[in-house]
């Protein structure tokens, strides 16, 4: 029996969205698709790379000390100071 460790990106919250289009290398798209498959296997909810990308970017920016020091996220009002 194989136990899958929890992923850094946990279950996805429900959010209000804004459409954004970007271009990426085919190798990155393949990695995103593999991550989406592993995320679905881990949490039992099918998601695609397009759904995961905003959450990945948010997690990346939250972990960037330089960004946080510069004033951080634009949604600071919803987070305790």
């Amino acid at each position: 029996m194989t136990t899958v460790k929890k992923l850094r990106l946990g279950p996805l919250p429900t959010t209000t969205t804004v459409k954004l289009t970007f271009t990426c290398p085919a190798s990155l798209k393949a990695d995103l698709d593999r991550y989406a498959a592993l995320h679905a296997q881990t949490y039992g909810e099918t998601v695609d790379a397009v759904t995961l990308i905003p959450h990945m970017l948010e997690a990346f920016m939250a972990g960037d000390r330089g960004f946080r020091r510069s004033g951080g996220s634009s949604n600071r009002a919803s987070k305790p100071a």
Side-chain angles (χ1 to χ4, degrees), residues 8-25:
R8 183 175 182 142
L9 186 64
L12 303 178
T14 302
T15 59
T16 302
T17 61
V18 176
K19 185 171 179 136
L20 179 67
T21 303
F22 76 101
T23 303
C24 69

Side-chain angles (χ1 to χ4, degrees), residues 45-67:
E45 181 180 357
T46 301
V47 294
D48 60 7
V50 172
T51 303
L52 291 175
I53 290 168
H55 301 285
M56 293 171 142
L57 289 172
E58 186 175 49
F60 172 82
M61 290 170 43
D64 187 312
R65 286 184 246 163
F67 180 67

